[in-house]
Amino acid sequence: MAAPRSPPRARERERPRAPASGSDQVHHWILLTSQALDTIWRLGKGSVMLAVSFLGAALCCFRRLHFYLGHRLKWWIGYLQRKFKRNLSVEAEVDLLSYCAREWKGETPRAKLMRKAYEELFWRHHIKCVRQVKRDNYDALRSVLFQIFSRGISFPSWMREKDIVKLPEKLLFSQGCNWIQQYSFGPEKYTGSNVFGKLRKCVELLKTQWTEFNGIKDYHKRGCMCNILFSDAILEYKLYEALKFIMLYQVTEVYEQMKTKKVIPSLFRLLFARETSSDPLSFMMNHLNSVGDTCGLEQIDMFILGYSLEVKIKVFRLFKFNSRDFEVCYPEEPLREWPEISLLTENDRHYHIPVF
């Protein structure tokens, strides 16, 4: 008789288990790797956060340092540029019509007038370029002296006959002009017993520089020398004060001639006819002392300057275009064939140098 069969479930339990499949092994290794990384992260999390914090602080510190050093470097670059760059008071030549187009835009009546005046200078008077002159209360003196030096114009005849360095003492001791102690050096407003010493140094510098420029025959070398001289504000102002004194000396000389009934140039008769310049003292106090400080040269002063330096100063007054006063000369009728110097002005206050 056959043995009884065991139930199916019992037979299944009696079978040996099959080995785990490949996918189960991959899952097992992923789980182990994840647990390992999690453990490593927990252990290194503090160090990583500390390193990140340190790196952030370092970057912030470097950023501030970079900003500070950049700011200081910019300051030093500007300082060195200001210190060593030549600040020319008479700039290089620029095209006349380009300068006009830049300065006088728009359709206002004044802008149209100025453009027509500049075109007149370009086409009729053959002025091709212009040198801009620093705008201050010395610019008329600067414009004239620059051209005298750059062109190598010689001393006036009367300066060749006298030692101009001794003129301050001559006014005091020979002509009794003790009022010259009230002479004012432009914005410095210095007066006192040392005026003669200061004036002597200024006039001596003018004589030295004039002699040096007159002795240079090469035009380009004179131009280089002018660039050096007219970038030194201290030397410049001494030269301008010397020119002011030369004008005062001439006014005093002509005034003494007038007192002795001698014939004097008509421009001085006009000067002494004014209440504010009836004599050399009033001329100095009311007019000359302000030059370089609160005002520049007036028209009558331009006459005296041209007469004193024996140059004919031709001025193109652009704001007087289409009138008889567009082109004027100081003095109008020079006594002899004096060198001619040209200026242009847009308002009778500031002057530039035309280049033919």
Side-chain angles (χ1 to χ4, degrees):
M1 189 172 177
R5 295 182 178 179
S6 59
R9 290 181 179 272
R11 286 197 302 268
E12 290 178 0
R13 283 196 299 265
E14 291 176 1
R15 294 175 184 172
R17 290 187 177 182
S21 64
S23 61
D24 291 339
Q25 291 181 358
V26 171
H27 177 74
H28 177 70
W29 282 109
I30 290 174
L31 181 62
L32 290 178
T33 303
S34 175
Q35 291 175 349
L37 290 176
D38 185 59
T39 303
I40 294 173
W41 168 248
R42 285 198 304 269
L43 294 176
K45 182 179 180 181
S47 300
V48 172
M49 294 301 294
L50 181 62
V52 171
S53 300
F54 176 78
L55 182 61
L59 289 175
C60 182
C61 186
F62 279 122
R63 182 180 179 183
R64 291 181 179 178
L65 181 62
H66 177 266
F67 176 79
Y68 173 78
L69 292 178
H71 178 75
R72 297 303 298 174
L73 181 62
K74 184 178 180 181
W75 186 90
W76 275 107
I77 290 174
Y79 171 79
L80 293 175
Q81 286 178 341
R82 291 191 300 270
K83 188 170 182 63
F84 295 104
K85 181 182 178 181
R86 287 180 180 173
N87 185 23
L88 297 178
S89 59
V90 179
E91 297 183 13
E93 301 175 7
V94 295
D95 180 75
L96 183 74
L97 296 183
S98 298
Y99 170 79
C100 170
R102 184 177 71 246
E103 295 293 322
W104 294 101
K105 301 176 182 178
E107 297 300 323
T108 63
R110 184 170 177 80
K112 292 179 180 179
L113 178 70
M114 287 298 171
R115 288 198 293 268
K116 291 180 180 179
Y118 275 105
E119 290 174 0
E120 175 82 1
L121 295 182
F122 185 86
W123 295 110
R124 183 174 179 181
H125 297 276
H126 308 292
I127 297 174
K128 305 304 180 183
C129 297
V130 62
R131 282 181 177 269
Q132 291 180 258
V133 178
K134 179 181 177 181
R135 294 191 175 216
D136 60 14
N137 290 317
Y138 284 115
D139 59 359
L141 295 170
R142 179 181 292 111
S143 301
V144 171
L145 190 62
F146 180 88
Q147 294 186 73
I148 289 177
F149 284 177
S150 63
R151 291 169 53 183
I153 296 176
S154 60
F155 280 105
S157 58
W158 69 270
M159 284 190 186
R160 293 194 291 268
E161 299 168 358
K162 299 179 181 179
D163 185 2
I164 62 174
V165 178
K166 297 179 180 179
L167 294 184
E169 286 82 357
K170 180 184 177 182
L171 285 185
L172 176 62
F173 299 112
S174 300
Q175 299 177 224
C177 301
N178 57 356
W179 44 263
I180 202 174
Q181 296 184 31
Q182 302 177 64
Y183 182 93
S184 179
F185 293 82
E188 187 177 345
K189 294 185 174 64
Y190 178 88
T191 58
S193 58
N194 196 35
V195 161
F196 299 100
K198 290 175 69 67
L199 281 175
R200 184 185 179 94
K201 290 180 180 179
C202 292
V203 175
E204 186 176 11
L205 177 65
L206 176 64
K207 179 181 179 181
T208 302
Q209 293 293 330
W210 202 329
T211 302
E212 183 176 358
F213 276 96
N214 184 243
I216 300 174
K217 302 307 178 183
D218 183 77
Y219 172 79
H220 297 288
K221 186 175 181 181
R222 286 199 305 268
C224 294
M225 293 288 291
C226 279
N227 288 339
I228 296 174
L229 177 60
F230 287 86
S231 61
D232 190 327
I234 296 177
L235 290 183
E236 273 193 79
Y237 296 149
K238 289 181 180 179
L239 294 173
Y240 306 145
E241 291 300 324
L243 291 180
K244 285 170 53 181
F245 173 75
I246 294 298
M247 295 169 61
L248 178 61
Y249 175 80
Q250 284 295 317
V251 168
T252 306
E253 286 283 287
V254 175
Y255 184 75
E256 294 297 322
Q257 295 173 11
M258 185 183 70
K259 290 197 301 184
T260 59
K261 307 302 182 180
K262 292 183 179 180
V263 179
I264 63 174
S266 58
L267 68 96
F268 287 98
R269 289 198 297 270
L270 294 174
L271 175 71
F272 297 134
R274 298 189 305 180
E275 292 184 1
T276 57
S277 58
S278 57
D279 55 42
L281 173 59
S282 60
F283 170 68
M284 183 188 75
M285 296 299 295
N286 297 324
H287 298 277
L288 203 59
N289 277 355
S290 300
V291 174
D293 180 20
T294 58
C295 65
L297 296 184
E298 301 177 7
Q299 282 188 279
I300 188 67
D301 303 325
M302 296 290 283
F303 280 106
I304 299 171
L305 179 63
Y307 179 87
S308 302
L309 302 181
E310 293 186 358
V311 293
K312 179 181 177 181
I313 305 174
K314 179 188 289 186
V315 179
F316 297 98
R317 306 169 73 202
L318 305 188
F319 66 103
K320 294 289 186 179
F321 179 64
N322 275 340
S323 72
R324 58 179 296 182
D325 294 326
F326 174 66
E327 183 180 337
V328 296
C329 293
Y330 308 109
E332 293 179 345
E333 297 179 359
L335 302 181
R336 52 188 66 86
E337 292 299 323
W338 291 347
E340 183 175 288
I341 287 175
S342 298
L343 308 178
L344 64 84
T345 178
E346 298 172 348
N347 50 23
D348 264 354
R349 292 191 303 273
H350 299 295
Y351 296 84
H352 297 307
I353 300 173
V355 181
F356 293 86

mmCIF file of all heavy atoms in Angstrom, residues 8-45:
data_model
loop_
_atom_site.group_PDB
_atom_site.id
_atom_site.type_symbol
_atom_site.label_atom_id
_atom_site.label_comp_id
_atom_site.label_asym_id
_atom_site.label_seq_id
_atom_site.Cartn_x
_atom_site.Cartn_y
_atom_site.Cartn_z
ATOM 1 N N PRO A 8 1.415 20.109 0.087
ATOM 2 C CA PRO A 8 2.320 20.927 -0.758
ATOM 3 C C PRO A 8 3.146 21.910 0.039
ATOM 4 O O PRO A 8 4.307 22.155 -0.244
ATOM 5 C CB PRO A 8 1.360 21.634 -1.712
ATOM 6 C CG PRO A 8 0.145 20.789 -1.744
ATOM 7 C CD PRO A 8 0.032 20.137 -0.388
ATOM 8 N N ARG A 9 2.556 22.555 1.051
ATOM 9 C CA ARG A 9 3.292 23.561 1.834
ATOM 10 C C ARG A 9 4.465 22.902 2.530
ATOM 11 O O ARG A 9 5.560 23.468 2.641
ATOM 12 C CB ARG A 9 2.361 24.179 2.859
ATOM 13 C CG ARG A 9 1.307 25.074 2.230
ATOM 14 C CD ARG A 9 0.418 25.698 3.304
ATOM 15 N NE ARG A 9 -0.558 26.557 2.718
ATOM 16 C CZ ARG A 9 -0.388 27.830 2.463
ATOM 17 N NH1 ARG A 9 0.783 28.388 2.716
ATOM 18 N NH2 ARG A 9 -1.352 28.551 1.912
ATOM 19 N N ALA A 10 4.277 21.727 3.037
ATOM 20 C CA ALA A 10 5.356 21.037 3.730
ATOM 21 C C ALA A 10 6.467 20.721 2.771
ATOM 22 O O ALA A 10 7.657 20.853 3.102
ATOM 23 C CB ALA A 10 4.824 19.761 4.365
ATOM 24 N N ARG A 11 6.115 20.324 1.568
ATOM 25 C CA ARG A 11 7.155 20.023 0.591
ATOM 26 C C ARG A 11 7.957 21.267 0.241
ATOM 27 O O ARG A 11 9.164 21.213 0.043
ATOM 28 C CB ARG A 11 6.507 19.412 -0.685
ATOM 29 C CG ARG A 11 6.039 17.978 -0.470
ATOM 30 C CD ARG A 11 5.814 17.292 -1.789
ATOM 31 N NE ARG A 11 4.843 17.993 -2.586
ATOM 32 C CZ ARG A 11 3.546 17.708 -2.564
ATOM 33 N NH1 ARG A 11 3.066 16.764 -1.757
ATOM 34 N NH2 ARG A 11 2.728 18.351 -3.376
ATOM 35 N N GLU A 12 7.254 22.423 0.170
ATOM 36 C CA GLU A 12 7.963 23.680 -0.154
ATOM 37 C C GLU A 12 8.940 24.050 0.942
ATOM 38 O O GLU A 12 10.033 24.548 0.699
ATOM 39 C CB GLU A 12 6.950 24.794 -0.384
ATOM 40 C CG GLU A 12 6.156 24.594 -1.671
ATOM 41 C CD GLU A 12 5.125 25.692 -1.840
ATOM 42 O OE1 GLU A 12 5.058 26.579 -0.937
ATOM 43 O OE2 GLU A 12 4.420 25.690 -2.842
ATOM 44 N N ARG A 13 8.539 23.799 2.194
ATOM 45 C CA ARG A 13 9.444 24.171 3.297
ATOM 46 C C ARG A 13 10.649 23.258 3.305
ATOM 47 O O ARG A 13 11.730 23.618 3.747
ATOM 48 C CB ARG A 13 8.684 24.060 4.629
ATOM 49 C CG ARG A 13 7.735 25.224 4.855
ATOM 50 C CD ARG A 13 7.337 25.260 6.321
ATOM 51 N NE ARG A 13 6.641 24.032 6.706
ATOM 52 C CZ ARG A 13 5.315 23.925 6.703
ATOM 53 N NH1 ARG A 13 4.560 24.937 6.265
ATOM 54 N NH2 ARG A 13 4.749 22.788 7.093
ATOM 55 N N GLU A 14 10.447 22.078 2.842
ATOM 56 C CA GLU A 14 11.556 21.146 2.853
ATOM 57 C C GLU A 14 12.582 21.437 1.775
ATOM 58 O O GLU A 14 13.735 21.039 1.874
ATOM 59 C CB GLU A 14 11.011 19.702 2.662
ATOM 60 C CG GLU A 14 10.223 19.229 3.866
ATOM 61 C CD GLU A 14 9.612 17.859 3.612
ATOM 62 O OE1 GLU A 14 9.861 17.337 2.503
ATOM 63 O OE2 GLU A 14 8.909 17.352 4.489
ATOM 64 N N ARG A 15 12.240 22.241 0.696
ATOM 65 C CA ARG A 15 13.197 22.548 -0.383
ATOM 66 C C ARG A 15 14.230 23.559 0.112
ATOM 67 O O ARG A 15 13.897 24.503 0.802
ATOM 68 C CB ARG A 15 12.474 23.129 -1.591
ATOM 69 C CG ARG A 15 11.535 22.120 -2.254
ATOM 70 C CD ARG A 15 10.774 22.813 -3.343
ATOM 71 N NE ARG A 15 9.808 21.913 -3.936
ATOM 72 C CZ ARG A 15 8.883 22.283 -4.811
ATOM 73 N NH1 ARG A 15 8.802 23.562 -5.160
ATOM 74 N NH2 ARG A 15 8.024 21.396 -5.306
ATOM 75 N N PRO A 16 15.500 23.438 -0.286
ATOM 76 C CA PRO A 16 16.540 24.424 0.117
ATOM 77 C C PRO A 16 16.326 25.734 -0.620
ATOM 78 O O PRO A 16 15.881 25.778 -1.744
ATOM 79 C CB PRO A 16 17.843 23.731 -0.312
ATOM 80 C CG PRO A 16 17.463 22.799 -1.386
ATOM 81 C CD PRO A 16 16.075 22.322 -1.063
ATOM 82 N N ARG A 17 16.695 26.924 0.122
ATOM 83 C CA ARG A 17 16.518 28.276 -0.475
ATOM 84 C C ARG A 17 17.528 28.519 -1.594
ATOM 85 O O ARG A 17 18.681 28.159 -1.476
ATOM 86 C CB ARG A 17 16.689 29.341 0.580
ATOM 87 C CG ARG A 17 15.531 29.359 1.573
ATOM 88 C CD ARG A 17 15.667 30.545 2.491
ATOM 89 N NE ARG A 17 14.556 30.636 3.387
ATOM 90 C CZ ARG A 17 14.393 31.609 4.277
ATOM 91 N NH1 ARG A 17 15.328 32.545 4.373
ATOM 92 N NH2 ARG A 17 13.351 31.630 5.075
ATOM 93 N N ALA A 18 17.041 29.247 -2.630
ATOM 94 C CA ALA A 18 17.929 29.640 -3.747
ATOM 95 C C ALA A 18 18.752 30.857 -3.339
ATOM 96 O O ALA A 18 18.318 31.660 -2.528
ATOM 97 C CB ALA A 18 17.085 29.942 -4.981
ATOM 98 N N PRO A 19 19.936 30.948 -3.854
ATOM 99 C CA PRO A 19 20.770 32.117 -3.507
ATOM 100 C C PRO A 19 20.109 33.410 -3.961
ATOM 101 O O PRO A 19 19.326 33.450 -4.893
ATOM 102 C CB PRO A 19 22.075 31.842 -4.273
ATOM 103 C CG PRO A 19 21.713 30.908 -5.361
ATOM 104 C CD PRO A 19 20.597 30.082 -4.842
ATOM 105 N N ALA A 20 20.475 34.600 -3.255
ATOM 106 C CA ALA A 20 19.870 35.920 -3.561
ATOM 107 C C ALA A 20 20.194 36.335 -4.978
ATOM 108 O O ALA A 20 21.257 36.049 -5.515
ATOM 109 C CB ALA A 20 20.388 36.968 -2.581
ATOM 110 N N SER A 21 19.254 36.988 -5.582
ATOM 111 C CA SER A 21 19.439 37.443 -6.961
ATOM 112 C C SER A 21 20.427 38.619 -7.031
ATOM 113 O O SER A 21 20.769 39.241 -6.008
ATOM 114 C CB SER A 21 18.090 37.872 -7.548
ATOM 115 O OG SER A 21 17.606 39.000 -6.820
ATOM 116 N N GLY A 22 20.914 39.028 -8.263
ATOM 117 C CA GLY A 22 21.887 40.122 -8.462
ATOM 118 C C GLY A 22 21.338 41.457 -8.035
ATOM 119 O O GLY A 22 22.050 42.314 -7.492
ATOM 120 N N SER A 23 20.075 41.762 -8.284
ATOM 121 C CA SER A 23 19.487 43.066 -7.929
ATOM 122 C C SER A 23 19.457 43.268 -6.433
ATOM 123 O O SER A 23 19.674 44.377 -5.927
ATOM 124 C CB SER A 23 18.070 43.171 -8.502
ATOM 125 O OG SER A 23 17.254 42.147 -7.958
ATOM 126 N N ASP A 24 19.260 42.160 -5.689
ATOM 127 C CA ASP A 24 19.279 42.298 -4.227
ATOM 128 C C ASP A 24 20.665 42.669 -3.737
ATOM 129 O O ASP A 24 20.835 43.451 -2.786
ATOM 130 C CB ASP A 24 18.819 40.977 -3.589
ATOM 131 C CG ASP A 24 17.338 40.714 -3.838
ATOM 132 O OD1 ASP A 24 16.618 41.711 -4.139
ATOM 133 O OD2 ASP A 24 16.927 39.557 -3.749
ATOM 134 N N GLN A 25 21.699 42.111 -4.368
ATOM 135 C CA GLN A 25 23.069 42.440 -3.955
ATOM 136 C C GLN A 25 23.411 43.915 -4.228
ATOM 137 O O GLN A 25 24.050 44.599 -3.421
ATOM 138 C CB GLN A 25 24.052 41.536 -4.714
ATOM 139 C CG GLN A 25 23.995 40.082 -4.292
ATOM 140 C CD GLN A 25 25.009 39.233 -5.047
ATOM 141 O OE1 GLN A 25 25.717 39.758 -5.903
ATOM 142 N NE2 GLN A 25 25.053 37.947 -4.710
ATOM 143 N N VAL A 26 22.969 44.419 -5.386
ATOM 144 C CA VAL A 26 23.216 45.858 -5.708
ATOM 145 C C VAL A 26 22.543 46.746 -4.688
ATOM 146 O O VAL A 26 23.119 47.727 -4.187
ATOM 147 C CB VAL A 26 22.707 46.163 -7.121
ATOM 148 C CG1 VAL A 26 22.739 47.672 -7.388
ATOM 149 C CG2 VAL A 26 23.547 45.439 -8.155
ATOM 150 N N HIS A 27 21.305 46.396 -4.346
ATOM 151 C CA HIS A 27 20.577 47.188 -3.362
ATOM 152 C C HIS A 27 21.285 47.162 -2.015
ATOM 153 O O HIS A 27 21.362 48.180 -1.309
ATOM 154 C CB HIS A 27 19.141 46.634 -3.232
ATOM 155 C CG HIS A 27 18.343 47.355 -2.191
ATOM 156 N ND1 HIS A 27 17.846 48.638 -2.392
ATOM 157 C CD2 HIS A 27 17.945 46.952 -0.940
ATOM 158 C CE1 HIS A 27 17.186 48.993 -1.298
ATOM 159 N NE2 HIS A 27 17.233 47.988 -0.410
ATOM 160 N N HIS A 28 21.839 45.994 -1.689
ATOM 161 C CA HIS A 28 22.552 45.854 -0.421
ATOM 162 C C HIS A 28 23.792 46.750 -0.387
ATOM 163 O O HIS A 28 24.049 47.438 0.615
ATOM 164 C CB HIS A 28 22.942 44.371 -0.237
ATOM 165 C CG HIS A 28 23.739 44.142 1.006
ATOM 166 N ND1 HIS A 28 23.195 44.232 2.275
ATOM 167 C CD2 HIS A 28 25.055 43.796 1.159
ATOM 168 C CE1 HIS A 28 24.145 43.975 3.160
ATOM 169 N NE2 HIS A 28 25.284 43.706 2.511
ATOM 170 N N TRP A 29 24.550 46.745 -1.495
ATOM 171 C CA TRP A 29 25.768 47.582 -1.531
ATOM 172 C C TRP A 29 25.436 49.073 -1.538
ATOM 173 O O TRP A 29 26.146 49.887 -0.919
ATOM 174 C CB TRP A 29 26.607 47.235 -2.767
ATOM 175 C CG TRP A 29 27.394 45.969 -2.595
ATOM 176 C CD1 TRP A 29 27.175 44.776 -3.200
ATOM 177 C CD2 TRP A 29 28.504 45.813 -1.732
ATOM 178 N NE1 TRP A 29 28.070 43.842 -2.786
ATOM 179 C CE2 TRP A 29 28.925 44.450 -1.853
ATOM 180 C CE3 TRP A 29 29.186 46.640 -0.838
ATOM 181 C CZ2 TRP A 29 30.001 43.942 -1.139
ATOM 182 C CZ3 TRP A 29 30.255 46.115 -0.148
ATOM 183 C CH2 TRP A 29 30.666 44.794 -0.296
ATOM 184 N N ILE A 30 24.366 49.462 -2.202
ATOM 185 C CA ILE A 30 23.937 50.869 -2.191
ATOM 186 C C ILE A 30 23.594 51.297 -0.776
ATOM 187 O O ILE A 30 23.938 52.403 -0.332
ATOM 188 C CB ILE A 30 22.748 51.083 -3.137
ATOM 189 C CG1 ILE A 30 23.210 50.943 -4.600
ATOM 190 C CG2 ILE A 30 22.114 52.462 -2.937
ATOM 191 C CD1 ILE A 30 22.079 51.007 -5.601
ATOM 192 N N LEU A 31 22.888 50.402 -0.068
ATOM 193 C CA LEU A 31 22.505 50.718 1.305
ATOM 194 C C LEU A 31 23.728 50.890 2.179
ATOM 195 O O LEU A 31 23.825 51.827 2.990
ATOM 196 C CB LEU A 31 21.589 49.608 1.840
ATOM 197 C CG LEU A 31 21.073 49.814 3.270
ATOM 198 C CD1 LEU A 31 20.226 51.081 3.352
ATOM 199 C CD2 LEU A 31 20.245 48.601 3.715
ATOM 200 N N LEU A 32 24.699 49.976 2.029
ATOM 201 C CA LEU A 32 25.931 50.094 2.825
ATOM 202 C C LEU A 32 26.701 51.372 2.494
ATOM 203 O O LEU A 32 27.219 52.053 3.394
ATOM 204 C CB LEU A 32 26.814 48.862 2.554
ATOM 205 C CG LEU A 32 26.317 47.524 3.111
ATOM 206 C CD1 LEU A 32 27.264 46.391 2.718
ATOM 207 C CD2 LEU A 32 26.180 47.578 4.641
ATOM 208 N N THR A 33 26.780 51.710 1.187
ATOM 209 C CA THR A 33 27.508 52.922 0.769
ATOM 210 C C THR A 33 26.843 54.169 1.331
ATOM 211 O O THR A 33 27.495 55.104 1.824
ATOM 212 C CB THR A 33 27.566 53.008 -0.759
ATOM 213 O OG1 THR A 33 28.181 51.835 -1.284
ATOM 214 C CG2 THR A 33 28.349 54.241 -1.204
ATOM 215 N N SER A 34 25.494 54.179 1.280
ATOM 216 C CA SER A 34 24.753 55.326 1.795
ATOM 217 C C SER A 34 24.975 55.497 3.288
ATOM 218 O O SER A 34 25.169 56.601 3.775
ATOM 219 C CB SER A 34 23.272 55.154 1.473
ATOM 220 O OG SER A 34 22.509 56.189 2.056
ATOM 221 N N GLN A 35 24.954 54.359 3.991
ATOM 222 C CA GLN A 35 25.185 54.430 5.442
ATOM 223 C C GLN A 35 26.603 54.920 5.741
ATOM 224 O O GLN A 35 26.825 55.711 6.668
ATOM 225 C CB GLN A 35 24.941 53.051 6.049
ATOM 226 C CG GLN A 35 23.486 52.610 6.040
ATOM 227 C CD GLN A 35 23.308 51.180 6.555
ATOM 228 O OE1 GLN A 35 24.296 50.438 6.731
ATOM 229 N NE2 GLN A 35 22.046 50.776 6.779
ATOM 230 N N ALA A 36 27.574 54.471 4.922
ATOM 231 C CA ALA A 36 28.963 54.900 5.138
ATOM 232 C C ALA A 36 29.119 56.400 4.886
ATOM 233 O O ALA A 36 29.768 57.128 5.656
ATOM 234 C CB ALA A 36 29.898 54.111 4.234
ATOM 235 N N LEU A 37 28.528 56.858 3.777
ATOM 236 C CA LEU A 37 28.623 58.289 3.473
ATOM 237 C C LEU A 37 27.925 59.131 4.518
ATOM 238 O O LEU A 37 28.396 60.223 4.876
ATOM 239 C CB LEU A 37 28.007 58.561 2.086
ATOM 240 C CG LEU A 37 28.793 58.035 0.881
ATOM 241 C CD1 LEU A 37 28.023 58.282 -0.410
ATOM 242 C CD2 LEU A 37 30.176 58.699 0.801
ATOM 243 N N ASP A 38 26.797 58.630 5.000
ATOM 244 C CA ASP A 38 26.066 59.356 6.040
ATOM 245 C C ASP A 38 26.903 59.476 7.300
ATOM 246 O O ASP A 38 26.946 60.526 7.952
ATOM 247 C CB ASP A 38 24.736 58.654 6.318
ATOM 248 C CG ASP A 38 23.878 59.434 7.300
ATOM 249 O OD1 ASP A 38 23.561 60.610 6.978
ATOM 250 O OD2 ASP A 38 23.537 58.896 8.362
ATOM 251 N N THR A 39 27.592 58.375 7.609
ATOM 252 C CA THR A 39 28.460 58.398 8.791
ATOM 253 C C THR A 39 29.626 59.372 8.603
ATOM 254 O O THR A 39 29.964 60.164 9.498
ATOM 255 C CB THR A 39 29.004 56.985 9.057
ATOM 256 O OG1 THR A 39 27.906 56.072 9.214
ATOM 257 C CG2 THR A 39 29.865 56.961 10.296
ATOM 258 N N ILE A 40 30.217 59.317 7.396
ATOM 259 C CA ILE A 40 31.338 60.235 7.107
ATOM 260 C C ILE A 40 30.872 61.685 7.155
ATOM 261 O O ILE A 40 31.559 62.570 7.685
ATOM 262 C CB ILE A 40 31.954 59.893 5.736
ATOM 263 C CG1 ILE A 40 32.613 58.514 5.777
ATOM 264 C CG2 ILE A 40 32.986 60.952 5.313
ATOM 265 C CD1 ILE A 40 33.084 58.034 4.415
ATOM 266 N N TRP A 41 29.701 61.974 6.609
ATOM 267 C CA TRP A 41 29.177 63.348 6.602
ATOM 268 C C TRP A 41 28.930 63.855 8.011
ATOM 269 O O TRP A 41 29.246 65.002 8.331
ATOM 270 C CB TRP A 41 27.895 63.400 5.768
ATOM 271 C CG TRP A 41 27.120 64.707 5.934
ATOM 272 C CD1 TRP A 41 25.928 64.892 6.523
ATOM 273 C CD2 TRP A 41 27.551 65.999 5.494
ATOM 274 N NE1 TRP A 41 25.560 66.192 6.500
ATOM 275 C CE2 TRP A 41 26.566 66.919 5.852
ATOM 276 C CE3 TRP A 41 28.693 66.453 4.824
ATOM 277 C CZ2 TRP A 41 26.654 68.257 5.571
ATOM 278 C CZ3 TRP A 41 28.780 67.797 4.555
ATOM 279 C CH2 TRP A 41 27.772 68.700 4.926
ATOM 280 N N ARG A 42 28.347 62.954 8.871
ATOM 281 C CA ARG A 42 28.112 63.366 10.251
ATOM 282 C C ARG A 42 29.422 63.687 10.962
ATOM 283 O O ARG A 42 29.507 64.616 11.752
ATOM 284 C CB ARG A 42 27.338 62.271 11.003
ATOM 285 C CG ARG A 42 25.858 62.195 10.636
ATOM 286 C CD ARG A 42 25.068 61.423 11.699
ATOM 287 N NE ARG A 42 25.622 60.083 11.897
ATOM 288 C CZ ARG A 42 25.232 59.008 11.228
ATOM 289 N NH1 ARG A 42 24.300 59.126 10.280
ATOM 290 N NH2 ARG A 42 25.759 57.830 11.473
ATOM 291 N N LEU A 43 30.437 62.876 10.641
ATOM 292 C CA LEU A 43 31.729 63.105 11.294
ATOM 293 C C LEU A 43 32.430 64.374 10.747
ATOM 294 O O LEU A 43 33.083 65.091 11.510
ATOM 295 C CB LEU A 43 32.640 61.883 11.072
ATOM 296 C CG LEU A 43 32.184 60.584 11.752
ATOM 297 C CD1 LEU A 43 33.109 59.430 11.376
ATOM 298 C CD2 LEU A 43 32.177 60.763 13.283
ATOM 299 N N GLY A 44 32.310 64.617 9.402
ATOM 300 C CA GLY A 44 33.039 65.756 8.812
ATOM 301 C C GLY A 44 32.221 67.008 8.639
ATOM 302 O O GLY A 44 32.736 68.025 8.150
ATOM 303 N N LYS A 45 30.921 66.948 9.034
ATOM 304 C CA LYS A 45 30.056 68.105 8.841
ATOM 305 C C LYS A 45 30.577 69.330 9.577
ATOM 306 O O LYS A 45 30.621 70.449 9.034
ATOM 307 C CB LYS A 45 28.643 67.747 9.286
ATOM 308 C CG LYS A 45 27.643 68.885 9.082
ATOM 309 C CD LYS A 45 26.243 68.458 9.512
ATOM 310 C CE LYS A 45 25.245 69.591 9.322
ATOM 311 N NZ LYS A 45 23.888 69.189 9.749
#
